[in-house]
Amino acid sequence: MFVDQGLAEFSDLAYKTAVVVYLVALAVSLFFYGQMKMATDVRRQRSEFISKARRDAAGASGAAGGGGSTTAGSDAAGSGEGSGSSVATAVTTATATATAHPGTGDAGTGEPPVASGDAGDIVEEDLPPHLHIDMIRRRFRRADSTGGMAQALVWLAVALHIAFVVLRGLAAQRFPWGNLFEYIAVVSMVAMIIACAVIRRRSMRVMWPWILTPIVLLLFYSGTELYADVAPVVPSLKSNWYWIHVSTVSVGGGIGLVSGMASLMYLLRRSQPKGKEKGVFGAIATPLPDAAKLDALAYRAGIWTLPVFGLGIVFGAIWAHFAWDRFWGWDPKETVSFITWILYAAYLHARATPGMRGRFAAVINVLAFATMVFNLFFINMVVSGLHSYAGLN
């Protein structure tokens, strides 16, 4: 079969460029993640400072015997003659507002807004400069700009990624998933397309480092260790079931990647609730959305992973019947694929069962994703079986 070398070179260039842009997007998203953490920490410091000042004021007022006199600051605040603007006081109200209207926080972060309000005897000038409301809003605006830059870079990288897959197929005049290098490229492309569809709200952009990290690692390793020149498929793959089976499994695997990473984030957030983060893991979890959002995302993706991945296994069994005169032979890759599918079914069952949803269900989902990765690399590259040709031969 004729191979277009010109298109092959362009496809390789698109792949390398996509990996570089993904890497830059990862770096920018990590910087955005850090900005969000610092902005959130400063806002919490502001809230704690105000609460402490109020407690101190209440204690002093009680010690004075509850006299009829009021502080000069209170008189000024009541009359409008005090210096400076009043600071935020209704932290509970702000949190309730953000909960009732998600995504309405500062800079679209989904965090409670740092709104101004009557603070009694505390005025804005009583706060350290870095805790002023304008400074906090400025922090969130800067973080939002960085997040938008990361989002734009991700879209550019995905466009280059799609261009690579298309050019690779045109150069080889076949569907571009005939070896492990191409298969990983397609799975990661599907995962990124799904992620772009999911991470549209500004409040969800903090998820990008978690999605981009495995994608960059997969593409870098695949491009350096598993690269294969554009060529016709091996004879055993010349079947109409080849593109049906592999494409379906690729889509299922891509959705499973998003679901697995969402469950991983959920487990971290659940162990470090909002406002109660401690230690290193607490610092990592601070910018993440609340656990309920992450759990819902993992579940929605898992609902699609189970039937799509299962359909891919069924298509593979049909192809095996025509290729090897049997539907199922407990080949290592067949066996681990079936175990993966069972784990996804167990996850959905646990997620829908009271008493099992939450941490237990999320652990099963992460285990299913880990089994899929194990199947992708270890089974293809180490274990000998009928599917070994799909990797390195």
Side-chain angles (χ1 to χ4, degrees), residues 116-199:
S116 297
D118 184 13
D121 59 339
I122 308 172
V123 293
E124 195 75 18
E125 281 70 16
D126 292 332
L127 299 175
H130 72 285
L131 298 183
H132 286 186
I133 188 172
D134 290 337
M135 293 297 295
I136 296 177
R137 286 174 172 163
R138 194 176 303 167
R139 282 179 176 271
F140 278 110
R141 283 196 293 268
R142 285 199 296 264
D144 186 57
S145 298
T146 307
M149 186 185 305
Q151 187 89 9
L153 287 168
V154 167
W155 288 339
L156 174 60
V158 171
L160 290 167
H161 199 157
I162 294 173
F164 158 74
V165 173
V166 173
L167 290 172
R168 182 90 173 184
L170 292 175
Q173 298 183 28
R174 58 171 173 80
F175 290 98
W177 42 78
N179 51 63
L180 190 56
F181 166 68
E182 295 174 351
Y183 177 73
I184 291 175
V186 172
V187 170
S188 56
M189 179 190 71
V190 172
M192 288 305 301
I193 292 174
I194 298 297
C196 285
V198 171
I199 307 177

Side-chain angles (χ1 to χ4, degrees), residues 5 11 54 66 118 126-127 178 193 220 253 270 273 282 322 349 372 377:
Q5 293 299 330
S11 70
R54 283 178 165 179
D118 184 13
D126 292 332
L127 299 175
I193 292 174
F220 180 80
R270 183 184 170 96
F322 290 104
H349 173 74
M372 183 184 295
F377 287 101

Side-chain angles (χ1 to χ4, degrees), residues 22 39 45 89 96 104 139 159 204 208 211 233 239 253 256 277 286 291 330-331 349 353 364 376 383:
Y22 274 132
Q45 291 173 19
T89 62
T104 59
R139 282 179 176 271
M204 303 296 283
W208 276 126
I211 301 295
V233 294
S239 168
E277 297 91 345
T286 297
W330 298 107
D331 179 76
H349 173 74
T353 303
I364 295 176
L376 177 64
V383 178

Side-chain angles (χ1 to χ4, degrees), residues 141-374:
R141 283 196 293 268
R142 285 199 296 264
D144 186 57
S145 298
T146 307
M149 186 185 305
Q151 187 89 9
L153 287 168
V154 167
W155 288 339
L156 174 60
V158 171
L160 290 167
H161 199 157
I162 294 173
F164 158 74
V165 173
V166 173
L167 290 172
R168 182 90 173 184
L170 292 175
Q173 298 183 28
R174 58 171 173 80
F175 290 98
W177 42 78
N179 51 63
L180 190 56
F181 166 68
E182 295 174 351
Y183 177 73
I184 291 175
V186 172
V187 170
S188 56
M189 179 190 71
V190 172
M192 288 305 301
I193 292 174
I194 298 297
C196 285
V198 171
I199 307 177
R200 290 175 297 178
R201 295 181 181 179
R202 292 178 175 179
S203 61
M204 303 296 283
R205 287 176 179 172
V206 291
M207 293 175 59
W208 276 126
W210 294 81
I211 301 295
L212 287 171
T213 297
I215 293 296
V216 169
L217 290 175
L218 281 172
L219 293 178
F220 180 80
Y221 179 79
S222 176
T224 55
E225 300 295 330
L226 306 177
Y227 176 80
D229 292 325
V230 177
V233 294
V234 295
S236 54
L237 292 178
K238 292 180 179 178
S239 168
N240 290 330
W241 288 103
Y242 143 69
W243 69 271
I244 299 175
H245 164 62
V246 181
S247 62
T248 308
V249 172
S250 299
V251 173
I255 303 173
L257 187 151
V258 175
S259 180
M261 294 307 298
S263 281
L264 191 62
M265 286 183 276
Y266 165 78
L267 290 172
L268 177 60
R269 170 50 78 194
R270 183 184 170 96
S271 67
Q272 301 287 339
K274 269 187 177 295
K276 300 179 181 179
E277 297 91 345
K278 295 180 181 178
V280 176
F281 289 108
I284 297 173
T286 297
L288 289 176
D290 60 70
K293 289 183 179 179
L294 295 170
D295 185 45
L297 172 59
Y299 181 61
R300 288 196 298 267
I303 288 175
W304 285 99
T305 303
L306 180 70
V308 174
F309 191 75
L311 196 61
I313 294 176
V314 171
F315 289 152
I318 296 173
W319 184 11
H321 172 68
F322 290 104
W324 301 318
D325 294 325
R326 50 83 169 160
F327 286 101
W328 196 264
W330 298 107
D331 179 76
K333 190 162 187 176
E334 295 173 353
T335 303
V336 179
S337 295
F338 181 66
I339 292 172
T340 303
W341 185 85
I342 291 295
L343 287 171
Y344 277 116
Y347 162 66
L348 294 182
H349 173 74
R351 178 60 173 71
T353 303
M356 298 179 68
R357 65 183 59 177
R359 180 181 287 108
F360 181 75
V363 168
I364 295 176
N365 195 23
V366 173
L367 181 60
F369 173 62
T371 306
M372 183 184 295
V373 174
F374 173 81

